[in-house]
Amino acid sequence: MIELTQDPIDVVPLLQQAQQPAAGAVVLFLGITRELTDGLRTERLSYEAYAPMAQQEMQRLEATARERWELVECLLVHRLGEVPLSQASVAVVVSAGHRPAAFEAARWLIDELKQSVPIWKREHRPDGQADWVHPSTEGGNGCR
Amino acid sequence: MQVTVLLFAGSKQAAGKDQLQVALPPGATFSDLAIELAQCEPALQPLLAHARFAADAQYVAATDPVPAGVELALIPPVSGG
């Protein structure tokens, strides 16, 4: 299951969905909004997606993970819009018969999501400035 | 052929709009499209060097020909998560 949402991510129903009789392990990963990046303070973050493509890419990641590992449940949720500090912007929940598959799949899913899913974050600073984050560009204005 | 390219995040901010229209010769590739976009909107240049393109919501290779009649998007380096 994949989802893009404007609302806070509630992990309780996600965990409930992952806890099925066939599963012996559930791994939950949360990416949460961090205050300091390279010494710069961020007051809040906002996320924008190219939604149809982001959904398609997330579906592709789920399908690939299910091919590579024997998973019981595989849930990817990304929040969009404004996300206050310390709240989850992304959740990956994976359940499997045994823990190696669950850990490996969850790690692979979040790493791939950060590489390929067309979602961008904007860091809003206390002085009112806001920068889009574009990781592989260097030296550009507000781009890292 | 006239194409419309969707812009997001830093590329939208740099261009000051959420899409750009450019004219391409028949058989043009996505590399050609990148050159055309840089000429039409020089502010996009720093991001174009690292960006990818999507056609019909799927990543394409720089050497692929630009198809007609599908949604095109410039995808600057992503930062979700």
Side-chain angles (χ1 to χ4, degrees):
Chain A
M1 187 279 287
I2 65 108
E3 188 187 1
L4 295 176
T5 178
Q6 300 280 336
D7 301 322
I9 296 174
D10 184 357
V11 298
V12 173
L14 297 175
L15 289 171
Q16 277 170 349
Q17 200 174 327
Q19 287 176 250
Q20 294 177 23
V26 177
V27 168
L28 161 68
F29 170 83
L30 293 180
I32 68 170
T33 46
R34 182 178 52 225
E35 184 176 26
L36 288 171
T37 297
D38 300 335
L40 286 174
R41 198 157 90 78
T42 299
E43 217 164 46
R44 62 196 158 84
L45 287 100
S46 53
Y47 289 82
E48 175 181 278
Y50 175 21
M53 181 171 173
Q55 283 167 328
Q56 218 163 287
E57 278 294 301
M58 287 162 77
Q59 265 154 5
R60 186 182 65 78
L61 294 183
E62 179 187 347
T64 307
R66 285 181 180 279
E67 276 168 28
R68 288 180 61 168
W69 294 278
E70 210 165 302
L71 303 181
V72 175
E73 194 50 272
C74 178
L75 311 164
L76 296 175
V77 181
H78 205 297
R79 185 169 168 188
L80 301 176
E82 290 214 356
V83 182
L85 282 188
S86 307
Q87 292 196 15
S89 52
V90 64
V92 176
V93 183
V94 172
S95 60
H98 300 277
R99 69 184 183 283
F103 274 120
E104 284 169 26
R107 177 65 196 258
W108 181 84
L109 283 161
I110 185 61
D111 288 349
E112 287 293 311
L113 182 145
K114 290 175 79 83
Q115 289 293 316
S116 77
V117 176
I119 296 176
W120 299 272
K121 84 175 99 185
R122 194 177 196 191
E123 294 171 343
H124 298 259
R125 317 228 168 273
D127 63 4
Q129 215 192 312
D131 295 326
W132 286 106
V133 180
H134 292 300
S136 59
T137 56
E138 280 170 343
N141 185 19
C143 298
R144 287 191 296 283
Chain B
M1 146 173 102
Q2 187 84 9
V3 299
T4 301
V5 181
L6 304 180
L7 304 176
F8 297 94
S11 57
K12 182 166 71 179
Q13 186 177 34
K17 51 189 109 168
D18 62 9
Q19 54 183 56
L20 278 176
Q21 285 181 339
V22 292
L24 291 176
T29 64
F30 282 95
S31 299
D32 301 325
L33 175 58
I35 294 165
E36 200 56 43
L37 287 175
Q39 276 170 1
C40 144
E41 198 59 71
L44 284 179
Q45 221 146 3
L47 276 178
L48 273 168
H50 303 276
R52 299 163 76 181
F53 284 99
D56 206 10
Q58 287 191 333
Y59 285 113
V60 293
T63 49
D64 289 350
V66 178
V70 305
E71 188 170 275
L72 303 177
L74 178 67
I75 311 291
V78 301
S79 54

